[in-house]
Amino acid sequence: QLQLVESGGGLVQPGGSLTLSCAASGLDLDYLVVGWFRQAPGKEREGISCISVRGGVTEYADSVQGRFTISRDIGKNKVYLRMNTLKPEDTGVYYCAVLTNVRAGMSLAVSDFGSWGQGTQVTVSS
């Protein structure tokens, strides 16, 4: 059974950077699409990026395009999210998940993903 564990969150000042990791066990990510999502306090969970692990194709939400970079390490069965130029509005709990609705393709819709990790908190504040 696939399990995902996020790590790397923390407190960072505006303009700073963080790298989040999503470690998978129980299943190789090779032929899957992995997405990163976040949920700010009082708001719905939103998709921010996804990657096809084998092909390396990526997708970004407009809100993070140019600031965040998603990548993967097939050998380590991990997906990363490098976050630069962080803003207070980037604050939230960050989750990774795998695409379960394969017909959706490179989707950022929460409903198309499953096997959610427990999340890691990112706080951007001075």
Side-chain angles (χ1 to χ4, degrees):
Q1 183 178 356
L2 176 64
Q3 288 189 320
L4 301 175
V5 178
E6 303 91 341
S7 62
L11 173 64
V12 63
Q13 292 186 342
S17 299
L18 279 176
T19 298
L20 306 183
S21 297
C22 173
S25 62
L27 185 68
D28 287 341
L29 296 177
D30 269 16
Y31 295 98
L32 301 179
V33 173
V34 177
W36 280 99
F37 300 79
R38 68 184 177 196
Q39 188 163 17
K43 295 187 177 181
E44 294 187 352
R45 193 171 300 186
E46 62 171 340
I48 54 176
S49 186
C50 66
I51 185 168
S52 61
V53 174
R54 174 57 60 177
V57 178
T58 59
E59 186 77 22
Y60 296 94
D62 290 344
S63 59
V64 304
Q65 180 75 50
R67 299 189 298 123
F68 290 11
T69 303
I70 192 170
S71 62
R72 83 291 192 211
D73 187 324
I74 295 175
K76 292 184 178 180
N77 216 28
K78 287 185 175 181
V79 172
Y80 304 96
L81 187 68
R82 174 66 176 179
M83 306 184 294
N84 294 327
T85 320
L86 282 161
K87 305 175 182 180
E89 52 264 43
D90 294 317
T91 294
V93 180
Y94 283 68
Y95 302 87
C96 61
V98 296
L99 185 73
T100 52
N101 179 13
V102 295
R103 295 180 182 180
M106 294 296 288
S107 170
L108 292 178
V110 172
S111 59
D112 289 331
F113 286 79
S115 297
W116 295 88
Q118 84 290 346
T120 185
Q121 175 71 44
V122 172
T123 303
V124 184
S125 175
S126 55

